[in-house]
């Protein structure tokens, strides 16, 4: 190219360099957002109820080839093993959402450990997978003790950037418009298997991708790999 004086993009070789600081180097801190320079958004779906809306949500995600991160309440998994298996079979990421939807700010270290470990145990036993990497505190209630306890179990504590507030039963179009207007690079969108989410999932996917964002799991969002249309690798 130097000889001709013309740029030929097909001949350009790119080398991806690893950052000097990795997620594991940052210690136990809550994560509210992914890389602000990464054009990706994740759906965080907390599951402790709402079974009737899960099949419709899964159908829309499958139609658009989107993988989300589902955070399972342990007692829900115990009562609904087949539904939990279906979600996992569809290729979605599974996270820990404690066992009995506790207010973890009010729990002791031992009680918190019991809630998280019991949930991991039932997820591992039911789905036959390794321990989850991500923990989502019920109702967003946590303190530093919560985060450190999750870290001792090998999990990062994940909160959210954008909240659907779907449990308040908002009008579907209002919820979709509010979410889409707030998403940006690295956003994590909190939702539950509710009627507004089931009705609005397709519109959210279409409008978010139209804005130039790719949708992926929390692991994909937190990965050091760039968004380049190729397969993702783990961290």
């Amino acid at each position: 190219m130097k000889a001709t004086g013309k740029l030929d993009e097909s001949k350009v070789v790119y080398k991806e360099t690893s950052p000097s600081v990795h997620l594991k180097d940052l210690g136990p801190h809550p994560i509210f957002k992914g890389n602000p320079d990464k054009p990706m958004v994740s759906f965080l779906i907390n599951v402790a109820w709402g079974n009737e809306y899960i099949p419709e949500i899964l159908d829309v995600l499958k139609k658009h080839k989107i993988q989300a991160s589902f955070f399972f309440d342990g007692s829900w998994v115990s009562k609904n093993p087949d539904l939990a298996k279906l979600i996992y079979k569809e290729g979605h990421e599974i996270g820990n959402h404690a066992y009995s939807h506790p207010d973890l700010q009010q729990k002791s270290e031992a009680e918190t450990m019991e809630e998280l470990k019991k949930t991991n145990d039932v997820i591992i036993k039911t789905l036959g997978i390794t321990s989850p990497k991500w923990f989502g505190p019920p109702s967003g209630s946590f303190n530093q003790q919560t985060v450190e306890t999750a870290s001792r179990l090998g999990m990062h504590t994940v909160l959210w950037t954008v909240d659907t507030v779907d449990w308040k039963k908002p009008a579907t179009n209002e919820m979709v418009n509010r979410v889409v207007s707030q998403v940006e690079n690295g956003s994590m969108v909190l939702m539950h298997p509710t009627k507004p989410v089931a009705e609005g999932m397709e519109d959210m996917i279409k409008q978010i991708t139209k804005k130039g964002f790719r949708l992926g799991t929390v692991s994909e969002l937190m990965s050091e790999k760039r968004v380049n249309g190729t397969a993702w690798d783990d961290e």
Side-chain angles (χ1 to χ4, degrees), residues 104-122:
L104 290 175
Q105 283 194 46
Q106 308 300 321
K107 296 296 183 181
S108 69
E109 183 178 347
E111 288 171 327
T112 299
M113 177 65 77
E114 174 70 11
E115 282 278 342
L116 273 55
K117 188 175 185 305
K118 195 174 179 181
T119 301
N120 277 353
D121 289 347
V122 72

Side-chain angles (χ1 to χ4, degrees), residues 9-224:
E9 291 192 8
S10 66
K11 295 180 180 178
V12 176
V13 177
Y14 294 92
K15 181 180 180 181
E16 188 169 318
T17 57
S18 179
S20 57
V21 179
H22 307 279
L23 186 60
K24 66 178 182 293
D25 299 327
L26 300 179
H29 299 286
I31 301 170
F32 294 85
K33 190 176 184 179
N35 188 333
D37 293 323
K38 189 169 186 173
M40 176 173 263
V41 171
S42 288
F43 287 161
L44 281 56
I45 306 176
N46 290 348
V47 184
W49 38 266
N51 292 8
E52 65 269 38
Y53 301 109
I54 291 175
E56 185 177 350
I57 290 170
L58 291 177
D59 285 345
V60 176
L61 291 170
K62 186 174 184 177
K63 174 182 175 183
H64 292 277
K65 297 180 173 63
I66 302 295
Q67 263 72 56
S69 293
F70 284 77
F71 288 77
F72 285 168
D73 173 278
S75 64
W76 179 86
V77 176
S78 295
K79 297 170 188 171
N80 302 277
D82 291 341
L83 205 45
K85 289 175 183 176
L86 175 62
I87 293 170
Y88 176 63
K89 185 180 177 182
E90 293 285 312
H92 301 291
E93 182 168 51
I94 307 303
N96 183 316
H97 193 50
Y99 197 85
S100 59
H101 214 273
D103 179 353
L104 290 175
Q105 283 194 46
Q106 308 300 321
K107 296 296 183 181
S108 69
E109 183 178 347
E111 288 171 327
T112 299
M113 177 65 77
E114 174 70 11
E115 282 278 342
L116 273 55
K117 188 175 185 305
K118 195 174 179 181
T119 301
N120 277 353
D121 289 347
V122 72
I123 288 174
I124 292 167
K125 180 180 178 182
T126 303
L127 304 182
I129 62 176
T130 56
S131 183
K133 294 196 302 182
W134 311 105
F135 166 63
S139 304
S141 176
F142 73 98
N143 53 31
Q144 186 59 28
Q145 173 186 274
T146 313
V147 178
E148 291 174 359
T149 301
S151 179
R152 284 201 295 278
L153 290 172
M155 296 185 291
H156 294 285
T157 298
V158 176
L159 278 299
W160 59 86
T161 325
V162 181
D163 191 351
T164 60
V165 200
D166 53 13
W167 54 275
K168 287 188 175 181
K169 302 179 181 178
T172 300
N173 64 324
E174 290 178 6
M175 181 196 73
V176 171
N177 292 339
R178 182 163 43 79
V179 168
V180 172
S181 70
Q182 293 180 34
V183 294
E184 53 190 11
N185 287 352
S187 287
M188 296 190 288
V189 184
L190 176 67
M191 58 187 70
H192 307 80
T194 59
K195 184 179 180 182
V197 166
E199 291 178 348
M201 178 64 79
E202 186 150 39
D203 279 346
M204 279 193 287
I205 291 171
K206 287 180 177 178
Q207 293 187 44
I208 289 171
T209 53
K210 188 176 181 181
K211 289 181 73 172
F213 300 110
R214 179 170 165 181
L215 285 158
T217 64
V218 173
S219 285
E220 290 172 334
L221 181 66
M222 297 301 166
S223 168
E224 295 171 357

